[in-house]
Amino acid sequence: MMTWGMSQASVRVYYNKTNGFDGIAKSKACSVDEAGDLVLGSNSGTPGFALMPVPDDINDRMVYSLRVRSLEAQNQHYSILINFRDSLNYDEIKIVSGNTDLYEPYDRRYFQIEFWKHTEGMESCMAVSKKFYKDLGRKNDYNTLCLNFKNDCLTFQIGRSTYETVFELQLPLDKMKKIGVLSVQKIGIKNIYIDYEPLGEPMKAQIYNYAAIDSLISNSDEPIVGYWNYFDRKINVPKVQLGGKYSLAIIPDVGTQNFNVLYIDNAKVNESKWKCGMIKGRLYPTGVYGNYNLVWYDADMNEMNDDCYVSLTGGEFVEFVFPVEKSSFRLIKVKNN
């Protein structure tokens, strides 16, 4: 019903010498050197790769970042693999570095980036960047590659201490596939960093369909169970904002003495994310008739449970109360036909 302007806490995962890059699938042409770098590639020309699964609880934002340097040649040539299913199906960002006039005093270091799609072994180049020169390290200097995924869009950045945006592309991130690095030349990776916004609990939990909801309601004689529509509210503006004049259902949580509150309709904030049958809250009996402790998921799918409670009034109204926020709202029960 309401949103408190809170954001879902990010999940951050680091891979480096401290944990030995554990959790990343590495080919035989990979090792951790004395400096603690994950080394890809070999002197024999065997490519090295390091792949990891994309977290399956990503909401709509993920950052994949790594610090990398050349260990073999002045110029670098390696790839970031995205949506990797197998050797015939993946997306690829090719990183190629060069120099305008190597060994000359007016020489400038540059990077050029290409984006390729590989489908059943067929390759197609989708984008090529212009050469850019800003804040790039030379051999043995680390550069940071940063891939920002948000709402099916990829923003790719690179740099040594400041970051230059190379391009933005429409690229959905497939949670069933992998992401990683491939290199024939020897490169050293100092660290890999992932930061993502996880799914809120409502999106991870079971989504009930109408048939299941109707069945659970019709087979229960608990007064709290049924369909409920918005009636009125008392909210602490501007701290609390109305997320929608929701229609909800309250059903038994099978196998327990508890109840689930389900979203049915009329969300205004984050309307596209709320699907009919999602968990909107959970009720836990207190031992006092008609009173329940409440875990509530606000319009942004953040959990609220600080002294929240629900009261049933005369079998006709339920009131959801949030004492810390000094706010509440009431719902009226939908009469059965």
Side-chain angles (χ1 to χ4, degrees):
M1 174 64 69
M2 292 172 274
T3 175
W4 278 260
M6 299 171 64
S7 59
Q8 187 76 5
S10 292
V11 175
R12 297 180 176 88
V13 184
Y14 296 88
Y15 301 90
N16 52 33
K17 64 180 182 181
T18 302
N19 55 29
F21 295 88
D22 189 35
I24 297 177
K26 300 177 277 289
S27 67
K28 291 183 178 180
C30 288
S31 61
V32 178
D33 66 10
E34 293 181 357
D37 284 0
L38 176 63
V39 178
L40 275 63
S42 66
N43 294 327
S44 64
T46 303
F49 64 83
L51 293 168
M52 59 172 292
V54 173
D56 60 7
D57 62 338
I58 290 175
N59 188 355
D60 55 13
R61 180 192 67 81
M62 185 183 89
V63 176
Y64 175 82
S65 176
L66 62 155
R67 287 185 62 77
V68 58
R69 63 176 176 168
S70 172
L71 296 177
E72 182 177 283
Q74 176 65 28
N75 293 334
Q76 299 169 308
H77 182 185
Y78 53 93
S79 298
I80 306 296
L81 307 182
I82 308 166
N83 295 332
F84 183 89
R85 189 183 79 189
D86 53 43
S87 61
L88 300 179
N89 297 277
Y90 57 94
D91 300 316
E92 179 183 21
I93 296 177
K94 294 182 178 180
I95 297 97
V96 181
S97 66
N99 296 76
T100 57
D101 298 277
L102 191 59
Y103 305 123
E104 297 295 333
Y106 44 81
D107 173 52
R108 298 181 69 195
R109 175 82 157 160
Y110 68 84
F111 274 73
Q112 186 161 319
I113 315 297
E114 301 174 0
F115 179 76
W116 290 74
K117 290 194 76 69
H118 300 257
T119 306
E120 299 301 332
M122 301 296 291
E123 300 179 332
S124 56
C125 184
M126 308 300 292
V128 179
S129 75
K130 296 180 180 179
K131 294 178 181 178
F132 63 98
Y133 305 86
K134 184 178 179 181
D135 193 30
L136 299 176
R138 295 177 178 272
K139 183 179 178 181
N140 294 322
D141 288 336
Y142 291 101
N143 287 297
T144 297
L145 312 181
C146 189
L147 287 71
N148 292 276
F149 298 92
K150 187 173 183 180
N151 298 326
D152 294 338
C153 181
L154 166 65
T155 301
F156 180 74
Q157 299 173 305
I158 192 169
R160 182 174 52 180
S161 56
T162 59
Y163 306 121
E164 183 86 2
T165 295
V166 180
F167 49 60
E168 294 184 351
L169 295 169
Q170 287 298 119
L171 184 66
L173 186 61
D174 192 332
K175 301 174 188 177
M176 303 302 293
K177 298 178 182 176
K178 297 180 179 180
I179 189 168
V181 191
L182 171 72
S183 183
V184 175
Q185 293 179 332
K186 291 182 71 174
I187 61 172
I189 299 174
K190 184 175 184 179
N191 57 58
I192 298 174
Y193 165 76
I194 289 180
D195 181 302
Y196 69 92
E197 178 183 303
L199 291 171
E201 182 63 29
M203 299 182 74
K204 293 189 288 186
Q206 174 185 356
I207 297 179
Y208 294 80
N209 58 40
Y210 270 118
I213 298 171
D214 286 342
S215 176
L216 288 164
I217 289 175
S218 63
N219 289 309
S220 176
D221 57 4
E222 292 283 350
I224 194 74
V225 169
Y227 289 101
W228 301 82
N229 286 340
Y230 171 83
F231 186 75
D232 61 10
R233 85 274 191 178
K234 297 177 181 177
I235 60 175
N236 183 12
V237 179
K239 181 180 180 181
V240 177
Q241 299 177 357
L242 192 66
K245 296 182 177 181
Y246 296 149
S247 294
L248 304 175
I250 299 177
I251 61 171
D253 184 13
V254 178
T256 75
Q257 300 299 311
N258 308 323
F259 301 89
N260 291 325
V261 182
L262 307 182
Y263 168 79
I264 301 298
D265 200 4
N266 294 328
K268 296 303 179 184
V269 178
N270 281 331
E271 180 180 1
S272 63
K273 290 186 177 180
W274 284 102
K275 309 299 181 185
C276 180
M278 276 185 172
I279 298 289
K280 196 73 175 72
R282 302 184 191 274
L283 303 182
Y284 301 91
T286 63
V288 177
Y289 176 81
N291 284 270
Y292 306 85
N293 290 323
L294 169 66
V295 173
W296 177 254
Y297 300 104
D298 74 2
D300 293 321
M301 298 188 177
N302 300 304
E303 182 176 305
M304 311 295 298
N305 60 12
D306 193 359
D307 294 332
C308 309
Y309 66 91
V310 166
S311 292
L312 179 67
T313 306
E316 185 177 11
F317 292 97
V318 288
E319 185 175 19
F320 287 67
V321 182
F322 306 86
V324 174
E325 288 73 26
K326 300 179 181 178
S327 299
S328 64
F329 64 87
R330 289 195 300 170
L331 304 175
I332 188 168
K333 197 166 193 177
V334 177
K335 302 297 183 181
N336 295 327
N337 294 329

